[in-house]
Amino acid sequence: MAEKKMINIALPKGRLGEKVYALLAQAGYPCPELLEDNRKLTFENPEAGVRYFWVKPSDVAVYVERGATDLGIAGKDILLEYSPDVYELLDLNMGKCRMCVAGPKDFVDDPAHTLRVATKFPNIAARHYRAHSREIELIHLNGSIELAPILGLSDVIVDIVETGKTLKENGLGVHEEIVPISARLIANKASFKFKSEAIRELAAKAGEAVAARG
Ligand code: PRP
């Protein structure tokens, strides 16, 4: 019976995941083994009723949407880009950055020409320019997006800006902020129904921990 109440959580592997874990441990869901230096991907603490899994950050929403885990922590960028069918329970106020249009500082958009936009986030970019009735050509890249305008592959980029260091060191600047981004606690819809009490309790305690951190 106790087994049924275990909550399975997909943590984004990396620095953000470690910060999120610290928050959940503070909220009453510790699993100290998780921070040991090993290659294990699954951890559990039956007393706390929790299992953790290290998942590639961009895959978290897939695990949660398909019910492989009950909960997960995903960036708002991923939620906006892929629109997974999940519940968004809480803003963790971590992993904060901005989705921006950026490019050469002296770039002037000429409406007479189709704007070439390089990005890892084609849906977010397409939505943004559709809302402005601006015709664009999307160039879908997987990383080092800042190179695209430098090499003339695109006019601008739509990308995440955190410290702004990458843009600065490559002679680029922010043209426009599209949306602020932060990490969110997300839930599988069926899990939220069948493990409602345990999940609501975890979300409430995590919310208190977020508020306590200010
Ligand atoms: C992200 C993003 C920017 C950079 C922004 O890239 O795509 O390139 O971080 O951070 P900053 O404003 O603090 O410089 P990531 O590190 O994920 O690598 P990628 O180029 O492989 O996407």
Side-chain angles (χ1 to χ4, degrees):
M1 284 300 278
E3 173 66 11
K4 286 212 171 95
K5 288 185 190 145
M6 292 289 282
I7 302 178
N8 299 314
I9 305 176
L11 285 175
K13 201 167 165 55
R15 207 161 47 88
L16 173 64
E18 286 171 18
K19 280 168 76 179
V20 170
Y21 166 71
L23 180 96
L24 292 174
Q26 181 191 334
Y29 300 87
C31 190
E33 190 197 354
L34 186 137
L35 293 177
E36 284 169 20
D37 185 19
N38 59 37
R39 306 287 288 176
K40 255 184 86 169
L41 299 174
T42 70
F43 304 88
E44 73 172 36
N45 181 351
E47 288 85 58
V50 74
R51 274 194 208 99
Y52 290 109
F53 306 92
W54 283 128
V55 171
K56 188 176 161 75
S58 52
D59 291 340
V60 166
V62 177
Y63 280 78
V64 177
E65 182 177 34
R66 290 176 167 266
T69 63
D70 303 310
L71 300 178
I73 288 81
K76 186 68 180 174
D77 52 333
I78 299 294
L79 302 179
L80 289 171
E81 179 61 25
Y82 298 104
S83 304
D85 191 17
V86 297
Y87 291 130
E88 197 180 306
L89 301 182
L90 183 67
D91 184 342
L92 296 177
N93 203 26
M94 289 177 173
K96 288 166 94 169
C97 50
R98 303 171 290 152
M99 184 67 67
C100 293
V101 177
K105 287 179 193 144
D106 57 0
F107 175 75
V108 181
D109 189 6
D110 176 1
H113 292 105
T114 299
L115 186 68
R116 297 170 306 151
V117 182
T119 187
K120 270 190 288 195
F121 303 96
N123 291 323
I124 293 174
R127 262 201 310 271
H128 173 69
Y129 285 105
R130 208 180 304 127
H132 290 77
S133 305
R134 179 71 173 100
E135 199 184 319
I136 63 165
E137 180 190 345
L138 272 173
I139 299 157
H140 190 177
L141 299 176
N142 295 300
S144 301
I145 314 297
E146 292 82 359
L147 261 184
I150 293 170
L151 295 181
L153 178 61
S154 75
D155 300 309
V156 296
I157 63 174
V158 165
D159 199 15
I160 280 169
V161 179
E162 191 180 349
T163 61
K165 208 162 172 246
T166 312
L167 289 178
K168 194 165 176 234
E169 291 191 1
N170 290 288
L172 306 172
V174 171
H175 293 176
E176 194 183 349
E177 181 176 324
I178 298 178
V179 65
I181 302 291
S182 58
R184 308 295 163 101
L185 177 66
I186 58 172
N188 173 266
K189 288 190 166 176
S191 299
F192 192 71
K193 199 167 158 191
F194 295 115
K195 297 184 182 178
S196 174
E197 204 178 315
I199 289 177
R200 281 173 194 274
E201 190 182 342
L202 184 146
K205 287 181 176 170
E208 284 165 21
V210 171
R213 289 178 172 214

